[in-house]
Amino acid sequence: MRMNAKAAAPELPAFQAFQFAFARHIRDPKVNPCPRGVPARRMKIYNELLFNNLEGFLLACFPVLRQILGKRKWTALVRDFFAGHRCRTPFFRQIPDEFVQYLQTGRGVRETDPPFLFELAHYEWIELALSVSNQDTPAGIDPQGDLLAGVPVLNPVRSLLRYAYPVHRIGPRFKPAAPAPEPTHLLVFRKMDYAVRFIHLNPVSARLIALLDAGNLTGRQALARIAKELKHPAPDTVIAGGQEILENLRAEQAILGTCRR
């Protein structure tokens, strides 16, 4: 005779049942009652301590989002994250990573959300993500190499971003209700002194970075391809302007040099 799987499941030992009840209450004390035998006053202190610690890590990473939402909506958002998201890492510094994942895949869009909520959060998070990256600088770079004749080497600690909203301008006095007519392109990278730098790119510069990302085109080849895509009547003009862009990016340490041959 087949047994009902639910009925056959063994009961949890008392200490484990208490642990689960304790954790459920900490995550969402309004929904889950305080475990029996725990003084309410002490439990309240413990609840506030853990929630405040979590909120503190998020506040350090998302200050503009907190300003935009205001205290009530921000607290509700953090509480919902704490109650419903299952983190996959034990490291405190990765709590913001989990928060971004929660906004992108776990929470879904709410009617009362600012339309730019996820993009703004991602924009604020990327600085932390790059600042703690353990990506190494590749060997075999000529810092003074010819950026047109050689293959430019991009800073390995970088991210080329494309947003529908001008996230770098959003703040309490600027809250766009709709996407901008043109997307916002940003190059974010970590300099040698570990400072994270943001550069606002035009579409041509963003395309140039995207072409160089594969690491198999010389600067001249990448710029010639752009000139062809633009159907520009004077490709040499595009290449000359592009060379200036490449040199500026090298001065900023977004480009580290060229591959040694």
Side-chain angles (χ1 to χ4, degrees):
M1 182 175 67
R2 298 179 65 183
M3 297 180 64
N4 182 285
K6 186 174 181 179
E11 290 188 10
L12 289 173
F15 80 94
Q16 285 188 338
F18 177 84
Q19 287 176 331
F20 280 119
F22 192 84
R24 283 194 297 269
H25 178 71
I26 288 173
R27 281 179 172 270
D28 196 351
K30 289 186 176 180
V31 172
N32 301 297
C34 180
R36 290 184 179 181
V38 179
R41 185 179 66 83
R42 291 184 180 180
M43 193 74 217
K44 183 174 183 295
I45 293 172
Y46 199 63
N47 285 343
E48 291 177 352
L49 177 65
L50 288 177
F51 181 79
N52 291 342
N53 280 344
L54 174 77
E55 185 184 25
F57 285 111
L58 295 177
L59 275 173
C61 190
F62 306 103
V64 179
L65 183 60
R66 164 63 177 81
Q67 286 183 304
I68 294 291
L69 293 178
K71 179 175 175 55
R72 183 178 61 82
K73 287 185 178 180
W74 166 259
T75 301
L77 179 64
V78 176
R79 176 62 68 184
D80 189 60
F81 167 65
F82 192 29
H85 181 74
R86 183 177 293 276
C87 291
R88 297 173 179 83
T89 173
F91 299 112
F92 289 140
R93 75 180 186 187
Q94 290 181 319
I95 288 174
D97 304 21
E98 296 285 345
F99 186 69
V100 169
Q101 291 177 32
Y102 150 79
L103 291 177
Q104 184 176 28
T105 61
R107 179 176 181 269
V109 178
R110 309 285 173 88
E111 199 172 314
T112 57
D113 288 345
F116 51 78
L117 184 144
F118 173 71
E119 288 196 348
L120 176 60
H122 187 274
Y123 168 71
E124 292 200 272
W125 163 79
I126 196 68
E127 181 173 3
L128 172 66
L130 295 187
S131 69
V132 300
S133 171
N134 58 5
Q135 180 72 47
D136 293 326
T137 300
I141 298 175
D142 179 2
Q144 305 303 322
D146 187 324
L147 296 177
L148 286 184
V151 176
V153 178
L154 296 175
N155 187 322
V157 185
R158 70 180 184 278
S159 187
L160 179 62
L161 304 173
R162 183 179 186 272
Y163 295 114
Y165 290 86
V167 289
H168 59 302
R169 295 174 49 213
I170 291 175
R173 296 184 180 181
F174 178 63
K175 306 174 188 178
E182 299 293 336
T184 294
H185 300 278
L186 296 171
L187 177 63
V188 192
F189 56 96
R190 190 180 70 195
K191 301 182 72 169
M192 297 301 106
D193 64 359
Y194 283 80
V196 176
R197 175 92 161 85
F198 289 75
I199 296 181
H200 183 208
L201 303 175
N202 61 36
V204 173
S205 298
R207 178 60 176 152
L208 176 59
I209 295 295
L211 288 173
L212 296 177
D213 188 66
N216 57 6
L217 293 177
T218 66
R220 186 180 298 278
Q221 288 171 334
L223 290 165
R225 182 176 297 185
I226 289 174
K228 185 176 181 180
E229 291 172 353
L230 294 173
K231 299 180 180 178
H232 199 283
D236 287 345
T237 301
V238 175
I239 292 172
Q243 183 178 18
E244 184 177 352
I245 293 171
L246 291 172
E247 291 296 348
N248 288 339
L249 290 172
R250 171 155 59 185
E252 292 283 356
Q253 298 180 2
I255 291 176
L256 303 183
T258 60
C259 292
R260 291 189 186 275
R261 300 192 179 223

